[in-house]
């Protein structure tokens, strides 16, 4: 809220860009941050991401292009904005006279945020500022990434309150809505969810993953303790390494889908492949059973080339089936993997 009215980013989703000089590892963190936020946004209002780099702002008067959010990784001494002293991140939104945000600059102090989870939480926190969220009362709203500091939560990153707020603002509510009108505009709000959930225990870490459906939105997630070093620095692995497990998810009609999952990475190139085979589905509301107990989903398999960046991986777009892949390695020595697969039908 600002001036008593609901504030949000324009009527079209923004495009996120990073400044020249951003490392590939930090760009991958921005990709993951955008994807995590998009998981909570309606299908027709997803943030776009461009790999075209732009110049970092030189002063507070340097305005980004309309419709863009520009992220710069730099120590505070190089931030072209006042009022963010001692902060680990800072967002400076530009807005129309109506109060709708139409562009924003974001700065992240990567020199102070040495842990990937802390940088990721800070990136998300600042993007949510650019989308119109503000710091809440820390005593009334304790479970939100928007509390200060916003990087304490290294678990699911976004709390349920953050997810619900994003979905409500960009699916149910109109720009400039008064507090007294929110209840009427919001309409019925579901109190229950359909959830598929899995646990994987590896030495030194527990990994959880799954998806849930609520208020017409399906959100996938994966969570676990991150490795001590990047995959390329794990000298216990040589040649190629393979991880095997299972995928769980929903169709748009909330039919449960499961599949066998195998991922192989060639350590020399940090490239490889991930496959989902024996793909089956069960009716909405039913729990997934053992392999062979459901009906075939699609043609039964999906395959993607992938590339590893530090302790994360994503698909290479030059070939493979339709869909987006984002994932991370979990466990102190990369014992496990977890991630998300997103398609129009899955």
């Amino acid at each position: 809220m600002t001036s008593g009215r609901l504030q949000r980013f324009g009527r079209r989703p923004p495009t996120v860009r990073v400044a020249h000089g951003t490392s590939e590892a930090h760009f991958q963190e921005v990709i993951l941050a955008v994807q995590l936020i998009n998981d909570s946004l309606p299908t027709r209002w997803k943030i776009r991401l461009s790999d075209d780099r732009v110049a970092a702002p030189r002063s507070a008067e340097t305005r980004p292009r309309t419709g863009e959010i520009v992220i710069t990784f730099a120590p505070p001494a190089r931030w072209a904005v006042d009022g963010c002293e001692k902060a680990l991140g800072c967002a400076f939104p530009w807005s129309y006279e109506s109060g709708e945000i139409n562009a924003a600059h974001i700065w992240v102090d990567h020199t102070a945020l040495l842990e990937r989870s802390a940088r990721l939480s800070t990136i998300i926190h600042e993007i949510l500022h650019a989308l119109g969220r503000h710091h809440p009362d820390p005593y009334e709203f304790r479970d939100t990434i928007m509390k200060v500091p916003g990087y304490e939560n290294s678990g699911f990153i976004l709390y349920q309150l953050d997810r619900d707020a994003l979905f409500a603002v960009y699916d149910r509510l109109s720009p400039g809505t008064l507090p007294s009108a929110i209840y009427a505009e919001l309409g019925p709000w579901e109190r229950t969810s359909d959830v598929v959930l899995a646990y994987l225990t590896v030495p030194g870490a527990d990994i959880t993953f799954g998806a849930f459906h609520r208020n017409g939105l399906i959100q996938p997630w994966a969570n676990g303790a991150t490795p001590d070093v990047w995959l390329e620095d794990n000298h216990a692995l040589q040649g190629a390494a393979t991880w095997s497990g299972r995928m769980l998810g929903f169709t748009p009609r909330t039919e449960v889908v499961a599949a066998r999952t195998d991922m192989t990475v060639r350590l020399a190139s940090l490239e490889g492949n991930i496959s989902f085979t024996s793909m089956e589905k069960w009716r909405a509301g039913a729990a997934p059973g053992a392999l062979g107990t459901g009906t075939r989903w699609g043609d039964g398999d999906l395959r993607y080339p992938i590339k590893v960046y530090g302790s994360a991986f994503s698909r290479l777009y030059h070939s493979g089936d339709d869909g987006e892949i984002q994932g991370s390695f979990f466990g102190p020595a990369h014992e496990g993997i977890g991630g998300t697969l997103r398609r129009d039908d899955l």
Side-chain angles (χ1 to χ4, degrees), residues 69-133:
I69 297 174
V70 177
I71 301 177
T72 302
F73 291 85
R78 291 171 51 197
W79 293 0
V81 66
D82 296 324
C84 289
E85 293 79 8
K86 299 182 180 180
L88 298 172
C90 186
F92 188 87
W94 300 75
S95 61
Y96 298 110
E97 291 184 2
S98 65
E100 284 188 350
I101 299 168
N102 61 8
H105 279 305
I106 289 173
W107 290 268
V108 175
D109 183 7
H110 65 291
T111 63
L113 295 163
L114 302 181
E115 294 185 3
R116 179 171 178 263
S117 60
R119 286 194 304 273
L120 184 61
S121 291
T122 300
I123 294 167
I124 293 173
H125 179 103
E126 301 306 331
I127 292 177
L128 293 188
H129 275 316
L131 294 181
R133 291 284 306 280

Side-chain angles (χ1 to χ4, degrees), residues 10-79:
R11 297 184 180 273
R12 294 182 179 179
T15 297
V16 171
R17 301 182 191 273
V18 298
H20 290 300
T22 301
S23 70
E24 185 60 35
H26 290 154
F27 182 58
Q28 288 299 314
E29 290 166 359
V30 172
I31 292 176
L32 181 55
V34 169
Q35 190 60 69
L36 288 169
I37 294 171
N38 276 342
D39 283 344
S40 299
L41 291 169
T43 302
R44 57 184 172 77
W45 213 96
K46 301 287 189 184
I47 298 173
R48 302 177 180 91
L49 183 69
S50 172
D51 57 6
D52 292 333
R53 310 297 168 93
V54 298
R58 295 184 178 182
S59 70
E61 287 73 35
T62 305
R63 187 183 182 97
R65 287 186 290 186
T66 298
E68 292 192 354
I69 297 174
V70 177
I71 301 177
T72 302
F73 291 85
R78 291 171 51 197
W79 293 0

Side-chain angles (χ1 to χ4, degrees), residues 179-190:
S180 58
I182 286 180
Y183 182 82
E185 281 204 23
L186 195 59
W189 200 250
E190 295 177 5

Side-chain angles (χ1 to χ4, degrees), residues 241-274:
T242 298
W243 293 260
S244 297
R246 204 170 188 201
M247 178 271 282
L248 287 175
F250 285 120
T251 70
R253 295 186 294 181
T254 65
E255 299 164 305
V256 178
V257 178
R260 175 184 171 86
T261 305
D262 297 280
M263 189 175 88
T264 298
V265 175
R266 299 177 292 277
L267 280 304
S269 63
L270 294 178
E271 294 184 358
N273 297 276
I274 188 168

Side-chain angles (χ1 to χ4, degrees), residues 252-334:
R253 295 186 294 181
T254 65
E255 299 164 305
V256 178
V257 178
R260 175 184 171 86
T261 305
D262 297 280
M263 189 175 88
T264 298
V265 175
R266 299 177 292 277
L267 280 304
S269 63
L270 294 178
E271 294 184 358
N273 297 276
I274 188 168
S275 64
F276 304 92
T277 56
S278 302
M279 297 187 71
E280 299 173 287
K281 64 180 180 179
W282 290 260
R283 62 176 176 80
L291 290 175
T293 62
T295 59
R296 190 173 72 172
W297 178 92
D299 61 5
D301 67 85
L302 295 169
R303 302 176 190 275
Y304 303 92
I306 57 102
K307 173 73 175 180
V308 174
Y309 304 91
S311 288
F313 60 88
S314 58
R315 70 161 293 173
L316 291 172
Y317 285 91
H318 56 73
S319 64
D321 290 300
D322 290 338
E324 298 179 15
I325 297 282
Q326 292 288 340
S328 297
F329 295 91
F330 296 119
H334 305 89

